[in-house]
Amino acid sequence: MSQKVMAAMSGGVDSSVAAALLLEQGYSVCGATLKLFSNEDISEAPSRTCCALTDVEDARRVAYKLGIEHFVFNFKEPFKSDVIGRFAEAYKTGQTPNPCIDCNRYIKFDRLIDRAVLLGMDAIATGHYARVERDESTGRYLLKKAADATKDQTYVLYMLTQSQLGRILFPLGGLLKSEVREKALARGLVTADKPDSQDICFVPDGDYAAFLTDVMGLVSPPGRMTDTAGNVLGTHRGLLHYTIGQRRGLNIGFGSPRYVVRKDVFSNTLVIGEEHDLYSADMTVGDVNFIAVPALNEPTRATVKTRYSQKETVATLTPLGDDRVCVVFDAPQRAVTPGQAAVFYDGDTVLGGGTIL
RNA sequence: UGGGAUGUAGCCAAGCGGUAAGGCACCAGACUUUGACUCUGGCAUUCGCAGGUUCGAACCCUGCCAUCCCAG
């Protein structure tokens, strides 16, 4: 009896091909598309997003073409509270969140798995570029980088637990993006030519600041902009327009570029400085989750990623207790930003990760 | 209103008689499944204003205006 898999289908190329491949590999497959928000809740949501209404239609057409059953689950409420809500909360405290990670953590790999199990499925599959392997010696599931290093998404999957990993298939983990597109074309999937998604899915026009103020009702008044010594240089447009390391939008001219160095929500002050002011020798990471090991018990060498699409850097991890880890970089890192994820690697294997405090 | 200095794009700034460098900011595009960073391209028919000299002026001359400094 073949394994029953629920393929999460966003309506994009990747998940379409993932579902098709599973079917060809002999799995018993059904498709599932998640409704995460109403289009009328956000501004015009035309092309380049995931999970929009047209994308549900595309997913349905692909499922039909593949001849598999297709479900649409309404996860608007949990998405609103666990993803959008957290996103807004993070901005309130001056952090820079990564909503994709929360969506994976609380929606796709939590509620969707629950739903799949409820329907008698053995596992779920997504179009993420990552690989899951079983370490025979320890019995643990390992999360490993994708074959296509440029598309690797392990950074947004660091919080997966052993029980989740035991029920996850990533059919695209061994493929290159170009191969995925070829396969989509070869199979005549309508999603073959859809552009890669980008931007935050619930903020299709990319104007997340407007979303936070207009839709979420956050208040972010203008305030003073100072240099690192505290000298007032001008006025900022509201703290949520900025993130650490940001250069654009400061609207202030010096001989050299200026970057956001710090956000102080209490005094509503934006501190700006030069490139060299952005480097940190260490950081504390909280809410950590370990995958390759049950827990971190002693100082450990690892490579660390402090933001998406950034090169890894070598560091020493020291457990602090309370799900926290102190990370000391071999070389100071640029723009370490609270709220962003820090992911630890041992070669191609994800050791674990957490949120930068 | 005695003396000195300076006025070139939003900011800084080169140019010193031959037809407006550069940096920052800004804008556009690329890259990017977060916000960023980065990269590429764009961005003063015009040099405080008005006259004059010259084949030709941001550069020389005259006047005016503005700002800053020193002195009163």
Side-chain angles (χ1 to χ4, degrees):
Chain A
M1 168 124 185
S2 62
Q3 212 187 354
K4 291 195 270 187
V5 180
M6 175 177 282
M9 300 175 72
S10 67
V13 217
D14 294 330
S15 56
S16 299
V17 172
L21 292 179
L22 288 172
L23 203 58
E24 290 165 23
Q25 288 163 13
Y27 288 96
S28 171
V29 183
C30 69
T33 300
L34 313 182
K35 286 189 76 165
L36 300 177
F37 46 78
S38 305
N39 280 23
E40 52 273 23
D41 288 347
I42 58 177
S43 47
E44 292 293 298
S47 53
R48 312 176 77 174
T49 77
C50 73
C51 326
L53 280 183
T54 59
D55 294 315
V56 174
E57 277 317 302
D58 286 339
R60 197 194 300 282
R61 289 166 69 187
V62 171
Y64 182 79
K65 172 117 185 169
L66 296 175
I68 63 176
E69 197 174 358
H70 180 246
F71 300 95
V72 176
F73 296 135
N74 180 356
F75 283 166
K76 287 185 200 171
E77 281 311 311
F79 188 79
K80 192 171 180 179
S81 59
D82 293 338
V83 180
I84 299 181
R86 286 175 153 268
F87 178 74
E89 279 306 313
Y91 268 105
K92 276 187 192 169
T93 61
Q95 296 188 294
T96 303
N98 186 329
C100 294
I101 290 177
D102 283 336
C103 181
N104 287 331
R105 181 178 197 166
Y106 299 108
I107 308 296
K108 290 179 188 153
F109 298 108
D110 186 71
R111 294 181 191 264
L112 181 59
I113 287 183
D114 288 349
R115 192 67 65 93
V117 169
L118 215 59
L119 291 171
M121 299 290 149
D122 299 302
I124 68 161
T126 70
H128 283 102
Y129 286 83
R131 291 189 278 196
V132 179
E133 283 180 18
R134 186 86 187 255
D135 182 337
E136 297 306 336
S137 61
T138 64
R140 294 188 72 81
Y141 289 102
L142 301 178
L143 178 64
K144 302 192 112 177
K145 290 182 193 166
D148 189 336
T150 64
K151 301 301 288 185
D152 175 62
Q153 289 175 300
T154 50
Y155 179 82
V156 294
L157 298 168
Y158 76 86
M159 65 303 134
L160 293 174
T161 64
Q162 287 297 303
S163 66
Q164 289 170 332
L165 287 166
R167 293 184 183 280
I168 294 173
L169 297 176
F170 292 135
L172 308 186
L175 300 174
L176 299 179
K177 178 76 186 199
S178 54
E179 297 174 322
V180 170
R181 285 230 182 255
E182 284 168 22
K183 289 179 187 298
L185 266 174
R187 287 161 181 72
L189 304 182
V190 295
T191 52
D193 295 322
K194 288 182 77 169
D196 288 7
S197 64
Q198 58 185 106
D199 292 332
I200 304 173
C201 69
F202 53 90
V203 189
D205 61 358
D207 192 347
Y208 69 95
F211 174 82
L212 287 170
T213 55
D214 301 350
V215 181
M216 299 303 291
L218 293 206
V219 178
S220 185
R224 58 179 48 179
M225 186 157 72
T226 73
D227 60 20
T228 52
N231 302 306
V232 177
L233 302 175
T235 306
H236 70 249
R237 295 178 292 152
L239 246 28
L240 56 75
H241 288 272
Y242 310 91
T243 187
I244 311 263
Q246 180 170 330
R247 172 178 177 177
R248 312 202 72 161
L250 297 178
N251 225 303
I252 192 163
F254 285 92
S256 60
R258 291 297 128 107
Y259 301 90
V260 173
V261 171
R262 200 155 49 78
K263 295 166 72 172
D264 185 341
V265 291
F266 295 107
S267 61
N268 193 26
T269 300
L270 187 73
V271 181
I272 69 174
E274 296 181 72
E275 169 83 13
H276 66 78
D277 293 316
L278 287 172
Y279 288 80
S280 305
D282 55 57
M283 65 179 175
T284 302
V285 177
D287 193 21
V288 295
N289 174 58
F290 283 97
I291 295 175
V293 294
L296 195 69
N297 298 314
E298 57 188 22
T300 305
R301 296 284 285 168
T303 55
V304 179
K305 223 174 176 178
T306 54
R307 84 183 52 216
Y308 202 87
S309 70
Q310 185 211 46
K311 259 181 72 179
E312 290 161 40
T313 183
V314 187
T316 300
L317 319 180
T318 305
L320 297 174
D322 298 331
D323 292 330
R324 290 184 304 137
V325 168
C326 172
V327 178
V328 178
F329 304 113
D330 282 18
Q333 287 303 293
R334 184 184 186 285
V336 172
T337 305
Q340 289 286 287
V343 181
F344 318 132
Y345 294 88
D346 173 12
D348 282 343
T349 303
V350 175
L351 218 47
T355 305
I356 298 171
L357 299 178

